[in-house]
Amino acid sequence: MKFLRYLLIGTVFGITLAKAEVISWFRIYEMFKFQSFHMYGVIGSAIVVGIIVIQLIKRKKLKSIDGERIIIAPKQFSWSRYIIGGTIFGLGWAMTGACPGPMFILLGNGVGVILVVIASAVLGTYVYGKIRHKLPH
């Protein structure tokens, strides 16, 4: 019962993304061909909301549900980290037509072939965990 609210929030979020056509392969294809503003608008608004929320957390010294102060550690800047990681992420997104969140929404919508993508993502995460110490961070 403790996690029921998270399941409900995730379900509502998934329905919202599905209704907004954010999980549509065609919408993603349009975005990569620069034919539509739809996905750029969604991603851009998510970035703006994220910036605002992060600033609120930092400035108001907000606490988590458990009452602990939320501390966002600064990251060390590294061009290679963002270029290599972004390229791998973008290629995976372009090849599959789905980024990590919508993969599960697609599965819930009955797109069974997405299980191959989910298994590949899990494998990629495992491999990253094994070679992380050798990568630039």
Side-chain angles (χ1 to χ4, degrees):
M1 292 302 288
K2 179 181 177 184
F3 298 108
L4 184 61
R5 64 179 155 199
Y6 301 113
L7 180 63
L8 292 173
I9 291 170
T11 301
V12 169
F13 185 65
I15 291 169
T16 303
L17 291 182
K19 293 294 183 185
E21 297 183 358
V22 175
I23 64 168
S24 166
W25 180 88
F26 180 72
R27 287 291 188 183
I28 295 166
Y29 179 71
E30 278 182 328
M31 178 188 70
F32 281 117
K33 290 187 73 179
F34 300 104
Q35 294 177 336
S36 175
F37 180 75
H38 182 83
M39 291 297 289
Y40 292 110
V42 170
I43 293 168
S45 61
I47 290 170
V48 169
V49 169
I51 290 170
I52 292 168
V53 169
I54 293 294
Q55 290 306 310
L56 282 173
I57 289 170
K58 287 181 175 181
R59 292 178 185 185
K60 301 285 184 184
K61 297 180 172 64
L62 297 180
K63 297 182 179 181
S64 69
I65 294 173
D66 300 326
E68 296 176 19
R69 185 164 173 241
I70 300 172
I71 299 171
I72 300 171
K75 290 185 179 180
Q76 197 173 37
F77 187 77
S78 164
W79 278 104
S80 60
R81 154 197 213 165
Y82 297 113
I83 298 298
I84 295 168
T87 301
I88 292 170
F89 183 84
L91 285 172
W93 192 13
M95 289 189 311
T96 63
C99 62
M103 290 189 311
F104 297 98
I105 300 167
L106 286 166
L107 183 61
N109 278 318
V111 181
V113 73
I114 202 72
L115 281 170
V116 174
V117 177
I118 292 171
S120 299
V122 170
L123 177 63
T125 303
Y126 174 78
V127 170
Y128 171 76
K130 288 293 187 185
I131 65 170
R132 183 175 190 264
H133 62 282
K134 296 179 184 178
L135 299 174
H137 285 95

